[in-house]
Amino acid sequence: IAGITQAPTSQILAAGRRMTLRCTQDMRHNAMYWYRQDLGLGLRLIHYSNTAGTTGKGEVPDGYSVSRANTDDFPLTLASAVPSQTSVYFCASSAQSADTQYFGPGTRLTVL
Amino acid sequence: AQSVAQPEDQVNVAEGNPLTVKCTYSVSGNPYLFWYVQYPNRGLQFLLKYITGDNLVKGSYGFEAEFNKSQTSFHLKKPSALVSDSALYFCAVRDGTGTYKYIFGTGTRLKVLA
């Protein structure tokens, strides 16, 4: 069982470029989340999805978009990357009836 | 508004000594509380949670946490620290509105000294 996978592991991106971070889970969890982790700020929620077909905004959604076409996949898109989006991005999921979130290994993104 | 505070950026403890990592929270309704650990260049790993029931919760790797409603705290503890416990620890509280949103603390770096 893989759990949650994220791709790419790391990426260096020029400012202004479009980028999609991929997240896939094989646990059939209903809820999925995207966080960014920055030094001194902990984890901040970007977007979430309670179930396939629905999404919601978290604490820091500006500059990011998500989609949830099916249960397993929850891609995060940066339409036009800016240096302030340099961060480590974590995807997570949780089952509807349970409360524990399970995290992917993260994507380290650098925007120059 | 929901919030979580981890007042210590770093905690140093000698190997074999007991350790405590502090967490306080503010949430509407009954809190769902969690501790996660992050090792270098890794994602967060679940340690333990409090939903209801016994105030003392036992989790992975010998860790435990005590829910204290009057003090709105959920401190993480371990009776005897190991060097391998050195990591970044996050406390989290679940948003009580049913949207499954978590609020994370800023993290506490635990350093266990040999």
Side-chain angles (χ1 to χ4, degrees):
Chain A
I1 297 177
I4 298 181
T5 58
Q6 292 184 237
T9 302
S10 65
Q11 182 75 45
I12 299 174
L13 189 66
R17 296 296 296 268
R18 180 183 179 90
M19 176 73 190
T20 294
L21 308 185
R22 300 184 297 278
C23 175
T24 299
Q25 54 105 356
D26 62 5
M27 297 177 284
R28 307 303 293 172
H29 284 173
N30 280 321
M32 297 187 74
Y33 316 80
W34 274 105
Y35 294 90
R36 58 178 291 173
Q37 183 179 23
D38 302 289
L39 192 64
L41 297 176
L43 273 77
R44 293 181 292 169
L45 182 66
I46 305 171
H47 285 288
Y48 66 95
S49 169
N50 285 338
T51 189
T54 68
T55 62
K57 294 182 179 180
E59 184 183 353
V60 288
D62 295 342
Y64 306 94
S65 64
V66 292
S67 62
R68 187 87 184 277
N70 57 61
T71 297
D72 298 343
D73 301 301
F74 191 43
L76 176 74
T77 297
L78 289 67
S80 179
V82 295
S84 62
Q85 292 177 311
T86 293
S87 187
V88 181
Y89 291 85
F90 288 101
C91 180
S93 72
S94 65
Q96 186 174 9
S97 59
D99 298 294
T100 303
Q101 289 193 359
Y102 296 92
F103 285 78
T107 293
R108 184 174 297 275
L109 182 67
T110 302
V111 183
L112 301 176
Chain B
Q2 332 283 356
S3 65
V4 174
Q6 293 182 244
E8 302 155 317
D9 290 336
Q10 181 160 322
V11 170
N12 295 326
V13 63
E15 187 176 30
N17 283 3
L19 69 87
T20 299
V21 182
K22 296 179 181 178
C23 173
T24 60
Y25 66 90
S26 174
V27 64
S28 301
N30 294 322
Y32 289 14
L33 296 156
F34 305 82
W35 276 102
Y36 286 83
V37 60
Q38 184 181 32
Y39 298 100
N41 300 312
R42 302 286 295 275
L44 277 70
Q45 297 178 31
F46 170 73
L47 273 181
L48 52 80
K49 66 181 178 184
Y50 172 83
I51 304 296
T52 187
D54 195 345
N55 289 345
L56 184 64
V57 179
K58 295 188 182 296
S60 306
Y61 312 120
F63 284 93
E64 58 189 28
E66 186 167 11
F67 170 62
N68 187 316
K69 188 173 183 178
S70 62
Q71 298 185 3
T72 62
S73 67
F74 190 57
H75 301 332
L76 182 69
K77 299 182 179 183
K78 187 173 182 180
S80 179
L82 300 172
V83 172
S84 57
D85 292 330
S86 298
L88 188 57
Y89 290 82
F90 289 97
C91 182
V93 61
R94 176 183 162 177
D95 184 305
T97 64
T99 60
Y100 304 100
K101 292 183 344 186
Y102 282 35
I103 299 166
F104 282 84
T106 53
T108 298
R109 187 164 301 280
L110 174 67
K111 191 169 184 178
V112 181
L113 307 170

